[in-house]
């Protein structure tokens, strides 16, 4: 019984230590969180599927103050998207609200953060996370079960999404990580110079420019992480999924960390 109490106290001590350490670490960083929602309409094979991108951007703290509520609301209105678009002759609804374009900083709720610390440690022990640091989510790369050739063919009529970076520099290097909850399909991810490469990818049969370093792209993965060096401030991730999604809600978790 005494041993059990000691184990419990040790676990509590570890969690408290993470809280304190993480609080000091987070003070040195700016964190921006947002979600992008996509609803695929009837002309998609994946209908009535939906896609959600949960995005976390972490970059070096600047001297800029947090936006005033009025300014934040106005900026969120300007960057909101709620419209019908189309790609490959197929329609979808894109919804993006409460986005301040990396001008505002999100502070984590520490009760939730404690749960995230425990989850992170469980995933790290299970080999799903590459870093024991609860502030850094870097998924262990796992290839899709689908063959590369079949995957590549299906991407030709798939869905692409651009995820911008947050940085206060003209050029920076980033660690990044992506994971999809649909293990029946894989995704491709590329660090690209700007959002215009999404248009090039969609309209020119996947002819587009991306950063060529080995850590700057991954093909046919269900989870992936990499490091891309010296990317432009307008850069971001281009994530592509095939039109064969099997879940009613496909979720992609995206993390970007400025180095």
């Amino acid at each position: 019984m005494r041993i059990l109490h000691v184990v419990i106290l040790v676990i509590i001590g570890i969690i408290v230590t993470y809280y304190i350490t993480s609080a000091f670490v987070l003070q040195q960083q700016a964190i921006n969180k947002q979600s992008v929602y996509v609803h695929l309409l009837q002309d998609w094979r994946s209908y009535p599927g939906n896609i959600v991108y949960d995005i976390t951007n972490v970059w070096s703290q600047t001297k800029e103050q947090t936006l005033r509520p009025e300014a934040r609301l106005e900026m969120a209105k300007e960057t909101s998207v709620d419209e019908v678009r189309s790609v490959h002759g197929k329609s979808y609804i894109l919804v993006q609200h409460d986005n301040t374009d990396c001008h505002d900083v999100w502070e984590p709720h520490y009760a939730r953060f404690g749960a995230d610390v425990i989850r992170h440690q469980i995933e790290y022990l299970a080999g799903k996370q590459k870093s024991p640091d609860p502030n850094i989510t870097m998924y262990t790369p796992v290839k899709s079960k689908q063959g590369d050739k079949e995957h590549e063919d299906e991407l030709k009529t798939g869905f692409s999404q651009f995820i911008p970076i947050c940085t206060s520099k003209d050029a920076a290097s980033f660690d990044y990580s992506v994971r999809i909850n649909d293990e029946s399909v894989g995704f491709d991810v590329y660090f690209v110079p700007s959002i215009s490469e999404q248009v090039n990818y969609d309209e020119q049969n996947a002819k587009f420019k991306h950063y060529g370093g080995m850590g700057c792209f991954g093909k046919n993965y269900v989870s992936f992480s990499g490091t891309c060096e010296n990317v432009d401030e307008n850069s971001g991730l281009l994530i592509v999924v095939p039109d064969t999604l099997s879940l009613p809600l496909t979720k992609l978790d995206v993390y970007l960390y400025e180095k």
Side-chain angles (χ1 to χ4, degrees):
M1 196 69 172
R2 183 183 297 271
I3 296 176
L4 178 60
H5 289 162
V6 171
V7 172
I8 293 174
L9 289 174
V10 170
I11 293 174
I12 293 174
I14 292 173
I15 293 175
V16 171
T17 300
Y18 271 131
Y19 270 109
I20 296 173
T21 303
S22 299
F24 284 106
V25 171
L26 289 172
Q27 287 176 1
Q28 309 303 317
Q29 299 172 316
I31 303 175
N32 181 275
K33 294 179 71 72
Q34 61 172 298
S35 293
V36 176
Y37 170 76
V38 177
H39 175 58
L40 305 176
L41 299 179
Q42 289 90 335
D43 31 10
W44 290 79
R45 289 175 59 189
S46 300
Y47 174 81
N50 305 280
I51 308 173
V52 170
Y53 298 84
D54 276 346
I55 305 155
T56 301
N57 263 295
V58 180
W59 72 103
S60 300
Q61 184 63 273
T62 67
K63 295 181 180 179
E64 294 181 10
Q65 298 296 319
T66 302
L67 290 177
R68 293 173 59 86
E70 297 82 3
R72 191 183 197 285
L73 181 60
E74 188 61 32
M75 186 171 290
K77 289 179 180 178
E78 292 177 358
T79 56
S80 290
V81 177
D82 193 349
E83 61 188 18
V84 177
R85 297 183 179 181
S86 64
V87 63
H88 307 308
K90 300 179 290 187
S91 301
Y92 64 93
I93 297 174
L94 179 67
V95 179
Q96 179 177 292
H97 290 165
D98 200 31
N99 174 21
T100 57
D101 196 24
C102 299
H103 285 82
D104 203 4
V105 176
W106 169 84
E107 294 292 344
H109 186 278
Y110 279 91
R112 172 65 184 275
F113 186 71
D116 287 344
V117 167
I118 296 173
R119 173 192 55 77
H120 186 101
Q121 291 305 306
I122 292 173
E123 290 187 345
Y124 176 71
L125 293 174
K128 296 181 180 180
Q129 292 279 358
K130 296 174 65 175
S131 172
D133 186 344
N135 296 307
I136 300 176
T137 297
M138 293 291 285
Y139 296 121
T140 301
V142 177
K143 290 283 286 187
S144 168
K145 297 178 181 178
Q146 189 177 49
D148 288 344
K149 182 61 171 63
E150 181 182 2
H151 169 78
E152 184 177 351
D153 289 341
E154 291 178 349
L155 283 185
K156 294 176 180 178
T157 57
F159 181 82
S160 70
Q161 181 66 45
F162 177 79
I163 309 295
I165 61 173
C166 290
T167 182
S168 57
K169 305 173 184 177
D170 294 334
S173 299
F174 277 83
D175 292 328
Y176 66 98
S177 193
V178 183
R179 181 169 67 178
I180 192 171
N181 68 334
D182 187 346
E183 296 185 356
S184 68
V185 298
F187 60 81
D188 284 6
V189 57
Y190 303 90
F191 236 110
V192 296
S194 72
I195 193 173
S196 63
E197 298 305 330
Q198 180 184 7
V199 177
N200 293 338
Y201 184 95
D202 292 337
E203 296 183 356
Q204 299 183 31
N205 193 25
K207 293 181 180 179
F208 68 109
K209 296 179 181 179
H210 65 86
Y211 289 96
M214 287 301 296
C216 295
F217 62 94
K219 297 182 179 182
N220 196 18
Y221 283 89
V222 294
S223 68
F224 183 79
S225 63
T227 300
C228 198
E229 306 285 347
N230 298 318
V231 301
D232 184 78
E233 61 181 340
N234 296 315
S235 301
L237 294 180
L238 180 65
I239 302 174
V240 191
V241 294
D243 185 13
T244 55
L245 305 176
S246 62
L247 301 178
L249 178 62
T250 299
K251 182 180 178 183
L252 288 107
D253 296 309
V254 183
Y255 294 85
L256 287 152
Y257 302 95
E258 184 184 71
K259 300 186 67 178

